[in-house]
Amino acid sequence: MKQCLLLLFFISGISTAFAQFEKGDRYVGGDFGFSLNKAESSTTSRSTYLAINLSPNLGYFISDLSVIGINPQVNFYWNKNITSNNEKISSNTVSGGIGLFFRRYFPVVDNFYFFLEPKATYNSSFEEESKPRSFGLSLSPGASYKISPKWMVEATLGGLVYHKSYNSSGANQEYDDTRFALDLITANSIRIIYFINQKDQ
């Protein structure tokens, strides 16, 4: 992630300045994740795990440096196990949720900004039995660089995270888990932002 920030600094020093943000600007962006893992144990059992995550971002500038936005999320998980007796066991889970965020930009040089983003998220599985749910609060720092009037690249650097999950497995059995962490290493992301209503220069 340090290399990404250095690259943004380097580009900002050799590129042309574009129009700054304006109240009423709108943008779209987001994250897409795909993961496929296969494993085989010493007991000849085999497992395959597939995960697909889609999380678009929609932002609206309420001032020239402040944004409010919405972040819907859809997650699909599929798991298949083949036991040593050649028995096949598979399961899949679909979950979804919503995130609401506020972002404040801090100009550094032309086209380059730091930002802070407080965010609240809620997720729930669509399973009928256990109905796992989770709620989270986070405060994330990041950096953005406008590569053109309509396109911007940004890096989010993890941050301060509060997460609470709840799971009911029936028969009066309920489980909940609460976590509070500061993570500036593993919870990083890079995304591309497209401005809907800004004009090309």
Side-chain angles (χ1 to χ4, degrees), residues 25-38:
D25 283 348
R26 302 187 302 272
Y27 69 74
V28 295
D31 301 302
F32 174 77
F34 177 86
S35 176
L36 178 63
N37 295 301
K38 294 185 177 182

Side-chain angles (χ1 to χ4, degrees), residues 94-146:
V94 179
S95 64
I98 194 73
L100 301 175
F101 67 89
F102 170 83
R103 178 179 291 185
R104 177 69 177 183
Y105 286 96
F106 302 93
V108 180
V109 294
D110 288 338
N111 306 326
F112 188 84
Y113 303 82
F114 285 127
F115 65 79
L116 282 177
E117 181 182 284
K119 183 177 181 180
T121 58
Y122 175 80
N123 284 276
S124 176
S125 172
F126 299 143
E127 295 180 359
E128 295 184 359
E129 295 182 0
S130 59
K131 285 289 185 182
R133 302 181 296 277
S134 65
F135 172 76
L137 296 172
S138 63
L139 177 63
S140 301
S144 297
Y145 177 72
K146 293 190 73 175

Side-chain angles (χ1 to χ4, degrees), residues 34-176:
F34 177 86
S35 176
L36 178 63
N37 295 301
K38 294 185 177 182
E40 186 170 345
S41 69
S42 57
T43 59
T44 68
S45 63
R46 291 170 291 169
S47 63
T48 303
Y49 177 78
L50 171 68
I52 299 175
N53 314 102
L54 180 62
S55 180
N57 256 8
L58 306 172
Y60 176 80
F61 279 81
I62 57 175
S63 74
D64 58 348
L65 291 174
S66 299
V67 177
I68 57 173
I70 188 170
N71 176 217
Q73 303 167 20
V74 178
N75 310 294
F76 172 78
Y77 305 99
W78 178 78
N79 187 62
K80 180 180 179 181
N81 292 288
I82 301 178
T83 67
S84 56
N85 298 324
N86 207 34
E87 180 183 2
K88 298 180 179 180
I89 304 173
S90 62
S91 62
N92 61 78
T93 302
V94 179
S95 64
I98 194 73
L100 301 175
F101 67 89
F102 170 83
R103 178 179 291 185
R104 177 69 177 183
Y105 286 96
F106 302 93
V108 180
V109 294
D110 288 338
N111 306 326
F112 188 84
Y113 303 82
F114 285 127
F115 65 79
L116 282 177
E117 181 182 284
K119 183 177 181 180
T121 58
Y122 175 80
N123 284 276
S124 176
S125 172
F126 299 143
E127 295 180 359
E128 295 184 359
E129 295 182 0
S130 59
K131 285 289 185 182
R133 302 181 296 277
S134 65
F135 172 76
L137 296 172
S138 63
L139 177 63
S140 301
S144 297
Y145 177 72
K146 293 190 73 175
I147 56 180
S148 78
K150 282 187 171 292
W151 294 95
M152 182 169 70
V153 60
E154 64 179 28
T156 303
L157 310 178
L160 194 63
V161 179
Y162 168 83
H163 184 267
K164 183 176 181 63
S165 59
Y166 174 83
N167 189 3
S168 175
S169 60
N172 296 322
Q173 293 183 344
E174 299 180 350
Y175 306 90
D176 64 79

